[in-house]
Amino acid sequence: MDPVDVLIVGSGVAAMQTALRASKTKHVILITKSELRQSNSYLAQGGIACAIANEDKPELHKIDTVCAGRHYNNRIAVEKLVTEGPGVIQELMHSGMEFDCDKQGVPLLGLEGAHSQRRILHRHGDATGQHLMEHFLQQLAKSSIQVMEYTAAIELILGQDDSCIGVKTMSKEGKVESLYAKAVVLATGGCGSLFRFTSNSPTVSGDGIALAFKAGARIRDMEFIQFHPTLLYINGKTVGLVSEAVRGEGAALITERGQRIMSDVHPQKELAPRHIVAQTIYAYLKNGEQVYLDISMIADFNKRFPTIAALCENNGLDLRRLRIPVAPGNHFLMGGIEVDEWGKTSVQGLYAVGEVACTGVHGANRLASNSLLEGLVYGKLLGKYLAEAPERVWPVEKKETKRAESQLVLPNLTEIQANIMNDAGIVRNQANLSRLLLWLESFDLKALLHVDVTRLSLGELDKINAIIVSWLIAYSALERTESRGGHFRTDYPLENNEEWREESVVLDRNRAIHPLKGRELYEQIKA
């Protein structure tokens, strides 16, 4: 087939914003491996952070973002986020998106962790993502964008100059096709469902990162993973998110005996940066003490937070007790595919936007409710860039010999989730990370990078991608010998600004794979 102008992989806010902007002048195809409504964006409860109040300023939003990111942020990227944000929100409102307002029509702004001002826009209390996505879906239906659901991207197609020229896809029936495009955009989200405890949609498993890595793109900051402090914790499992907005309205974190756990930990108490709250809750859980959100001070909780109330009731929790059992779980990836301010990766013709991309805007720890804003702002910038992009020189397709694996030995996803949660989760150290690397490398990582994907099932491909992304996380976490933001190591518990504040762990397929690294380190520790 002839190449389309733009092929977008993903269906969240960043994908939608990019597609709608680019489609003003380009032919755009959008593919998603499940349904359009199956995305983290659709699940987002907290809202959109933006400095639109009279007493607020983008500069204050920038300061909060950098402080939460532990001063590791790309300052230029943060500047774009906070200064472009108000204009993007105004455009949204003018196009019909509604936010919760008072009787005078003034937006009701919420407060969340590590914010110095009330600046969080909501819709229907805790259903912001759903309403934002429905707004975009209405626009999508009126556009010229071609949508292909249940179409999984299984490999990027490269030209002889190693540029990206398309995507190999597989339907849920197993049919393989090649879609060619002058620009390929990965907007596949992070990798939350690789972890046993997560707030993420099951479809968000790091596929885009694995695809980009296999194609030669640079992957950066994979050690920085945010664990949301408060997921509903029932019978030893996390079953959904309890938004930070609940703590913003005064809810307190307490033990079974009613002791507040954050009072002496941080000046902002329950609204401290997420990594601090998550690590504190984790420490109590490790000691066998359940932690609860005390919501007794929130009037009309069911009306203020209808989505969370329904989640609790659907899981058998009686909210009349005014206590919600919580535990931390994987929520957001600050790292990902390295991109510049326009979403360009190190592979020509390949772009990334949203959580799958690493602009450096979030630093080591994302500020609450900056994720939807990131998708809106950087989706607009990338979409505009693609809409105005000139024709590229089209290379001949690269013919590569792939390995046909008839009997792959792969772990099941449950085993991967348990191991990465235990060894590269909220608390890490060299022994556990080395053990995880050793286990992941036992599946012949180098071979998995060159396997013939067209001969495998979607289930096998999910496992391969999970192994690759888990390895990237474990390797990066082992390399960064300090604790910063979402990366906490008991053997290096402090920030090391002299060696690490300006340093990044960047990996690519040509210089990252050291098959014996896990074994060497693990055997050193045992000795």
Side-chain angles (χ1 to χ4, degrees):
M1 62 170 284
D2 293 332
V4 297
D5 295 319
V6 180
L7 174 62
I8 297 175
V9 185
S11 59
V13 164
M16 294 289 183
Q17 179 81 313
T18 304
L20 289 165
R21 298 282 176 168
S23 67
K24 291 182 178 180
T25 63
K26 305 291 186 181
H27 178 201
V28 177
I29 292 180
L30 185 148
I31 69 172
T32 181
K33 69 177 181 180
S34 58
E35 298 176 354
L36 287 174
R37 289 175 173 82
Q38 291 289 322
S39 69
N40 274 354
S41 296
Y42 206 88
L43 296 175
Q45 295 176 359
I48 307 171
C50 193
I52 63 170
N54 292 333
E55 61 273 18
D56 200 3
K57 293 181 176 62
E59 182 62 25
L60 295 176
H61 191 182
K62 178 181 178 180
I63 291 169
D64 291 346
T65 298
V66 172
C67 286
R70 298 309 307 147
H71 305 278
Y72 180 72
N73 314 62
N74 178 328
R75 304 301 176 98
I76 296 174
V78 177
E79 187 78 25
K80 278 189 175 294
L81 181 78
V82 301
T83 57
E84 297 275 347
V88 169
I89 295 299
Q90 287 298 322
E91 290 175 0
L92 262 182
M93 291 178 173
H94 289 153
S95 65
M97 176 65 194
E98 297 180 352
F99 293 100
D100 294 342
C101 296
D102 62 19
K103 293 179 180 179
Q104 287 71 45
V106 178
L108 294 168
L109 301 176
L111 179 68
E112 293 185 1
H115 285 273
S116 61
Q117 305 286 328
R118 283 189 170 270
R119 62 167 68 99
I120 316 300
L121 292 144
H122 298 93
R123 180 61 180 154
H124 279 205
D126 56 1
T128 311
Q130 176 185 339
H131 287 274
L132 180 59
M133 285 300 298
E134 290 295 342
H135 174 75
F136 275 129
L137 288 171
Q138 289 178 14
Q139 294 184 313
L140 184 71
K142 300 173 185 175
S143 74
S144 61
I145 299 166
Q146 180 183 347
V147 176
M148 299 170 65
E149 294 183 302
Y150 293 104
T151 303
I154 61 172
E155 189 170 69
L156 298 178
I157 303 170
L158 302 180
Q160 287 186 352
D161 60 355
D162 286 326
S163 68
C164 183
I165 60 172
V167 176
K168 287 182 182 177
T169 67
M170 184 179 289
S171 68
K172 61 180 179 179
E173 294 80 22
K175 182 180 179 182
V176 176
E177 290 189 68
S178 293
L179 300 177
Y180 295 92
K182 299 166 188 175
V184 173
V185 179
L186 297 175
T188 52
C191 56
S193 69
L194 295 185
F195 288 75
R196 181 184 170 202
F197 292 167
T198 182
S199 64
N200 284 205
S201 166
T203 61
V204 182
S205 54
D207 296 347
I209 296 166
L211 289 172
F213 182 70
K214 289 167 67 177
R218 288 160 57 94
I219 311 297
R220 177 182 162 195
D221 292 344
M222 290 296 291
E223 69 274 27
F224 291 126
I225 293 174
Q226 183 177 90
F227 290 84
H228 196 288
T230 53
L231 274 60
L232 178 59
Y233 189 57
I234 302 289
N235 297 326
K237 297 180 180 178
T238 53
V239 292
L241 182 67
V242 180
S243 171
E244 193 157 305
V246 176
R247 282 174 282 136
E249 294 303 313
L253 288 163
I254 61 172
T255 63
E256 184 74 50
R257 301 186 305 274
Q259 172 196 353
R260 289 189 67 169
I261 69 171
M262 294 301 300
S263 295
D264 299 323
V265 174
H266 192 276
Q268 290 179 281
K269 299 179 182 178
E270 277 77 10
L271 294 180
R274 285 179 172 173
H275 67 287
I276 295 173
V277 183
Q279 288 163 16
T280 303
I281 296 173
Y282 178 79
Y284 275 86
L285 294 175
K286 288 288 283 185
N287 286 330
E289 289 193 73
Q290 178 59 56
V291 175
Y292 299 86
L293 266 176
D294 175 7
I295 59 172
S296 60
M297 68 295 296
I298 302 177
D300 297 321
F301 183 88
N302 289 35
K303 292 181 180 179
R304 175 68 183 84
F305 299 105
T307 303
I308 297 169
L311 173 69
C312 292
E313 291 165 3
N314 291 340
N315 283 279
L317 183 67
D318 186 357
L319 284 177
R320 289 177 296 182
R321 290 192 62 211
L322 302 177
R323 287 185 172 190
I324 300 175
V326 294
N330 180 293
H331 188 55
F332 193 85
L333 174 67
M334 279 72 75
I337 306 166
E338 186 179 67
V339 297
D340 67 9
E341 61 184 305
W342 305 111
K344 296 180 188 176
T345 74
S346 57
V347 175
Q348 184 187 357
L350 180 65
Y351 303 81
V353 67
E355 190 178 350
V356 74
C358 182
T359 62
V361 70
H362 302 301
N365 187 35
R366 175 176 65 82
L367 182 66
S369 289
N370 267 356
S371 55
L372 290 178
L373 185 68
E374 177 194 15
L376 292 168
V377 168
Y378 281 94
K380 174 185 176 180
L381 291 172
L382 175 54
K384 185 174 184 293
Y385 176 87
L386 294 174
E388 299 171 355
E391 291 291 317
R392 64 180 281 200
V393 176
W394 193 252
V396 175
E397 183 174 344
K398 187 176 186 178
K399 300 299 180 184
E400 296 184 87
T401 302
K402 298 290 185 177
R403 295 177 55 164
E405 298 288 346
S406 57
Q407 290 185 325
L408 280 174
V409 178
L410 299 170
N412 60 52
L413 289 175
T414 303
E415 191 176 7
I416 295 172
Q417 290 168 334
N419 284 349
I420 194 171
M421 188 76 203
N422 184 68
D423 292 341
I426 298 168
V427 174
R428 303 159 173 178
N429 58 51
Q430 182 171 325
N432 287 1
L433 290 168
S434 301
R435 178 176 63 192
L436 179 60
L437 274 180
L438 175 64
W439 180 70
L440 292 167
E441 289 168 0
S442 71
F443 299 105
D444 197 353
L445 193 65
K446 277 193 169 181
L448 296 183
L449 294 177
H450 302 285
V451 69
D452 184 353
V453 296
T454 64
R455 296 174 177 264
L456 302 178
S457 68
L458 285 174
E460 289 172 316
L461 291 170
D462 284 343
K463 293 175 185 178
I464 290 173
N465 290 340
I467 291 170
I468 292 170
V469 177
S470 297
W471 184 90
L472 289 167
I473 293 168
Y475 188 102
S476 301
L478 194 56
E479 287 288 293
R480 182 172 287 274
T481 52
E482 68 159 355
S483 291
R484 186 179 298 273
H487 171 63
F488 179 72
R489 289 185 56 163
T490 56
D491 46 353
Y492 295 95
L494 302 177
E495 292 181 356
N496 183 344
N497 288 329
E498 184 176 340
E499 293 185 23
W500 281 107
R501 180 165 164 176
E502 304 295 332
E503 291 296 320
S504 299
V505 180
V506 180
L507 305 173
D508 68 57
R509 69 177 185 187
N510 298 317
R511 60 187 182 89
I513 304 298
H514 301 287
L516 299 179
K517 187 171 181 73
R519 180 172 296 280
E520 288 174 354
L521 288 168
Y522 192 61
E523 290 180 350
Q524 287 174 20
I525 293 165
K526 288 195 298 183

